[in-house]
Amino acid sequence: MWPSEDSHSAEIFARAKQVLPGGISRLLTWVDPYPIYAKRGAGAYIEDVDGVWRFDLLNNFASLIHGHAHPAIIAAVGEVVANGTCFAFPTEREIELAELLCARVASVDRVRFCNSGTEAVMIALKAARAHTGRHRIAKIEGAYHGMYDHAEVSLDSTPENWGNAPASTPHTHGTPPAVLDDTLVLPMNHPEETERLLRANAGTLAAVLIDPVPTQIGMIEMTPEYIELIQTVARDIGALIVIDEVIAFRLDYHGAQARYGIKPDLTTFAKIIGGGFPVGAVCGTKDAMAVFSHEHGHPLNPSSGTFTGNPVSMAAGLATMKNLTPETYQRLEALGTQARVGLLDAFKQVGRPGQITGVGAMFQLHFHERPLIDYRSAYARPEEAALAKTVHRGMLDRGFILSPRCSAFLSTVMTETEIADMGEALAETLAAAVA
Ligand SMILES: Cc1ncc(COP(=O)(O)O)c(C=O)c1O
């Protein structure tokens, strides 16, 4: 059950409100009436401060792929921290992790580390501008790419403001009008409209930013036809293709780009490549990445950061990635398939309309059966959003942590039995919601 008003979680939240705006540091973690505070994590489970263990399907929003406190990662980190956590000298570990990324992902010849996915996207877009001498970027309506101004545009457009052709809408109050003007918004999986928009803006676009399975658009995949169109037109108009694999790298050993046949100029990684520690990386072809190099004078894109390439994140990332083999990816895929089949079955058992999207080891529940193709079709109607809230709470009460929008990211330490139990918990939750 939700922690009661005399729980430790409630008590901590009362203190939090005195020092943090709204009592939290991270909007995505907010759950009404107060967050459940974590005490510790072990494998696939989190214990809260009131001593309740729950099955963690969120894995810190897809950043843990081996669950909590994985022994190999803890050992790697332990070895580093005892000898100093950061230096104004580089360490060999950043080269080792970069070598691993270059070896695994075909388009990656060079790597520039940073500390988050937000930073990686920001730096990649700046790199594309430096490379092309153009200033505008194109992105998909509703796609989340972190908090950089241009990347945030039209993140949460609504039927009231999204327009016919996607309007550039601000996510943050006070977004400069120039940011909106400089961000072209594309409708996912609408190739004709996208081609028209890209060609009409040719000459000003530095980059087309894509994620083949945007989680904020309900984990719907880009169609092969749409991916093909983006690649062809981006090449024609001389804009760089930037693929955001901050989450999607968990879909394939060789990157989501291999799975979807994408040949990007630049790729952003974060989350799993830091093994539970802050990290980001901009990667790409030798040509696109040349803007970072100081070898021929001041770089076209000077990028730096105090904790960039720090040995703790590098060691945790290396241990994580070394434990992710083609076989573990296959197992994650199988767990994901099992989950999606079981969850759909739960909807059927209860006789409620619903569908499950997602690929690999991630999924999202939708409480309707209309075809899902883009941000607008995935946009939850008020009654669907209300049901998502009820199901999220119901699953928490039964010991399963989903995201508030009822999505999940599985880890290698989860078992088939636990995934089957999750399906049963959903059937019970839906039945209770109908009652
Ligand atoms: C696709 C995508 N890009 C970028 C980001 C931003 O990453 P970070 O939270 O590390 O800044 C996220 C975060 O969830 C993401 O899902």
Side-chain angles (χ1 to χ4, degrees):
M1 294 304 280
W2 200 261
S4 62
E5 280 172 21
D6 57 3
S7 64
H8 285 307
S9 277
E11 185 190 324
I12 294 172
F13 184 62
R15 276 170 48 214
K17 280 196 294 189
Q18 305 306 313
V19 284
L20 307 174
I24 53 171
S25 297
R26 193 178 171 194
L27 187 58
L28 228 51
T29 60
W30 171 248
V31 192
D32 210 26
Y34 35 78
I36 298 175
Y37 287 82
K39 182 172 162 196
R40 65 179 156 160
Y45 294 84
I46 297 180
E47 184 190 15
D48 76 11
V49 288
D50 292 289
V52 179
W53 287 90
R54 294 181 186 82
F55 188 62
D56 180 21
L57 286 147
L58 260 185
N59 281 300
N60 192 28
F61 278 96
S63 55
L64 305 170
I65 201 156
H66 299 304
H68 298 280
H70 188 279
I73 302 169
I74 298 306
V77 169
E79 206 179 291
V80 172
V81 292
N83 290 303
T85 56
C86 54
F87 316 97
F89 281 180
T91 68
E92 200 176 342
R93 286 189 174 85
E94 73 185 63
I95 296 131
E96 258 189 90
L97 184 54
E99 283 168 346
L100 183 146
L101 297 174
C102 292
R104 283 195 191 180
V105 185
S107 71
V108 174
D109 301 325
R110 296 285 184 273
V111 177
R112 191 67 171 236
F113 287 109
C114 53
N115 300 298
S116 69
T118 288
E119 264 186 77
V121 170
M122 173 182 75
I123 297 168
L125 295 179
K126 288 181 172 186
R129 290 189 189 121
H131 185 82
T132 58
R134 302 172 181 177
H135 63 284
R136 301 179 71 220
I137 66 132
K139 66 154 294 196
I140 304 291
E141 183 174 50
Y144 183 61
H145 298 283
M147 293 182 296
Y148 178 49
D149 289 355
H150 298 76
E152 275 191 340
V153 170
S154 296
L155 173 59
D156 49 8
S157 297
T158 63
E160 289 71 43
N161 68 9
W162 63 32
N164 201 2
S168 296
T169 64
H171 176 60
T172 304
H173 279 266
T175 299
V179 168
L180 302 177
D181 292 345
D182 288 342
T183 310
L184 175 70
V185 182
L186 306 171
M188 189 170 95
N189 291 338
H190 293 271
E192 276 174 27
E193 175 74 346
T194 294
E195 173 160 22
R196 189 187 67 71
L197 288 167
L198 286 174
R199 292 206 189 274
N201 290 277
T204 61
L205 292 173
V208 183
L209 175 63
I210 57 170
D211 172 347
V213 198
T215 54
Q216 194 89 357
I217 310 185
M219 289 192 193
I220 310 166
E221 292 174 281
M222 279 187 178
T223 63
E225 180 196 11
Y226 192 69
I227 289 173
E228 184 61 37
L229 180 275
I230 295 253
Q231 300 206 88
T232 308
V233 180
R235 296 268 177 264
D236 275 1
I237 65 173
L240 299 196
I241 297 164
V242 180
I243 179 171
D244 182 350
E245 293 212 28
V246 164
I247 287 187
F249 197 14
R250 61 165 33 239
L251 298 180
D252 196 287
Y253 182 78
H254 296 294
Q257 53 200 263
R259 182 173 181 135
Y260 291 96
I262 301 170
K263 292 197 170 61
D265 301 283
L266 293 169
T267 301
T268 57
F269 294 127
K271 304 220 186 219
I272 60 168
I273 68 155
F277 289 81
V279 83
V282 183
C283 309
T285 61
K286 213 168 153 186
D287 179 44
M289 294 293 288
V291 296
F292 294 113
S293 173
H294 57 274
E295 287 156 314
H296 305 293
H298 190 64
L300 293 180
N301 182 349
S303 101
S304 208
T306 304
F307 292 104
T308 288
N310 75 78
V312 185
S313 299
M314 299 294 107
L318 261 172
T320 299
M321 298 309 288
K322 283 182 182 166
N323 276 282
L324 264 186
T325 61
E327 292 71 36
T328 45
Y329 272 96
Q330 270 171 19
R331 175 146 191 286
L332 284 168
E333 189 82 34
L335 275 184
T337 305
Q338 185 201 338
R340 285 183 290 274
V341 170
L343 294 166
L344 190 58
D345 201 46
F347 275 99
K348 285 186 191 144
Q349 270 178 49
V350 181
R352 261 214 87 89
Q355 56 187 316
I356 324 292
T357 51
V359 282
M362 54 190 209
F363 65 79
Q364 183 174 334
L365 311 184
H366 299 264
F367 302 94
H368 61 79
E369 284 173 350
R370 64 179 170 271
L372 287 164
I373 49 164
D374 57 8
Y375 175 65
R376 296 178 186 198
S377 52
Y379 191 82
R381 296 177 182 162
E383 63 280 12
E384 294 157 11
L387 191 52
K389 197 172 168 186
T390 306
V391 169
H392 172 250
R393 282 292 291 262
M395 290 296 279
L396 271 169
D397 288 347
R398 291 173 178 78
F400 293 87
I401 307 171
L402 295 171
S403 80
R405 62 171 58 212
C406 294
S407 61
F409 307 93
L410 310 182
S411 79
T412 58
V413 295
M414 293 179 170
T415 65
E416 285 73 7
T417 311
E418 288 161 331
I419 297 298
D421 291 347
M422 174 185 69
E424 281 172 29
L426 180 67
E428 277 176 30
T429 303
L430 288 174
V434 174

